[in-house]
Amino acid sequence: MPSYAELSALLAPAHTVLLTVECQQGVVGTDSALPELAREARTSGALANIGRLVDAAHETGVQVMHAIAERRPDGRGANSNARLFRAADRLPVQQLSGTSAVRVAEPVQVAEADLVVRRLHGLSPLAGTDVDPLLRNLGCRTLVVTGVSANVAIPNAVFDAVNLGYTAVVPADAIAGVPSDYTPAMIRNTLALVATVTTTGDILGSWKRVRRAR
């Protein structure tokens, strides 16, 4: 893990964006289409930690962006080229545009200054969406990636961020996947090779020092 000084420099508010990935009611909420994943996100503390990070980002002046996965009721433009997409079509809860399923779930709070980016296709919050151009217009150099799932969307987001030239920071206790022992193994063997892995507490501490220095 980086030193406090290194992490503070990396997470300077002027060039940092906090990204929440699929922290929506239909995924991590009480009426999730994926109850096992929702349960893991909550019982592991990951969702609560994401809420803490979002609150701290709002207080510190760090830009927050929420990446939401959804689909049109008619399915137009959605992928069907993988088993995951076909399975999602049969789930009892659908991530339909305009429904409660695609609203950001508690305890994550959406502030007026936050950006919400919605995608109708694919596996990645970045590929083929507005996320990258928005990050560039914001002057982002460091992208803090949080959310679900550690199985698919989180590694996609990290790889795409690195390929696009951003430095990815992953608070290991603010992402979740299934089964529970998969996430730490994936972080250790995959994400740690391409991202700066840290903790929610260390990020909160870094931003707290920024607020004290004002």
Side-chain angles (χ1 to χ4, degrees):
M1 288 194 180
S3 68
Y4 280 123
E6 291 170 334
L7 191 61
S8 294
L10 199 57
L11 295 172
H15 64 243
T16 298
V17 172
L18 172 65
L19 179 70
T20 75
V21 178
E22 297 182 27
C23 292
Q24 56 203 71
Q25 292 186 31
V27 176
V28 296
T30 53
D31 296 321
S32 171
L34 304 164
E36 184 182 3
L37 177 60
R39 184 165 54 251
E40 179 62 26
R42 291 178 176 276
T43 60
S44 68
L47 192 59
N49 285 334
I50 296 165
R52 295 167 64 205
L53 287 167
V54 168
D55 290 345
H58 291 157
E59 293 173 7
T60 311
V62 172
Q63 178 67 54
V64 177
M65 187 179 296
H66 306 279
I68 302 296
E70 60 182 55
R71 59 182 287 132
R72 288 167 49 113
D74 61 9
R76 191 175 297 273
N79 288 67
S80 59
N81 58 333
R83 177 180 162 194
L84 175 65
F85 301 121
R86 294 189 292 273
D89 284 344
R90 299 191 295 271
L91 292 174
V93 177
Q94 295 289 309
Q95 314 300 317
L96 299 181
S97 301
T99 68
S100 61
V102 297
R103 295 175 189 160
V104 176
E106 294 183 351
V108 181
Q109 300 297 315
V110 181
E112 186 176 352
D114 292 2
L115 294 170
V116 180
V117 179
R118 303 179 182 276
R119 77 176 196 274
L120 294 171
H121 62 86
L123 299 170
S124 172
L126 276 74
T129 74
D130 288 337
V131 170
D132 178 41
L134 290 173
L135 293 178
R136 295 191 185 281
N137 288 345
L138 290 164
C140 175
R141 297 202 301 274
T142 300
L143 185 64
V144 181
V145 180
T146 68
V148 297
S149 74
N151 305 78
V152 179
I154 295 299
N156 263 268
V158 171
F159 291 148
D160 285 344
V162 173
N163 285 331
L164 290 167
Y166 302 103
T167 297
V169 173
V170 178
D173 53 357
I175 66 172
V178 290
S180 57
D181 58 356
Y182 176 78
T183 301
M186 189 275 297
I187 292 171
R188 182 173 60 253
N189 295 298
T190 303
L191 295 190
L193 302 177
V194 296
T196 297
V197 177
T198 185
T199 66
T200 294
D202 283 348
I203 294 176
L204 294 176
S206 174
W207 288 343
K208 187 174 183 179
R209 286 191 294 276
V210 170
R211 295 197 299 274
R212 283 177 176 171
R214 289 177 176 171

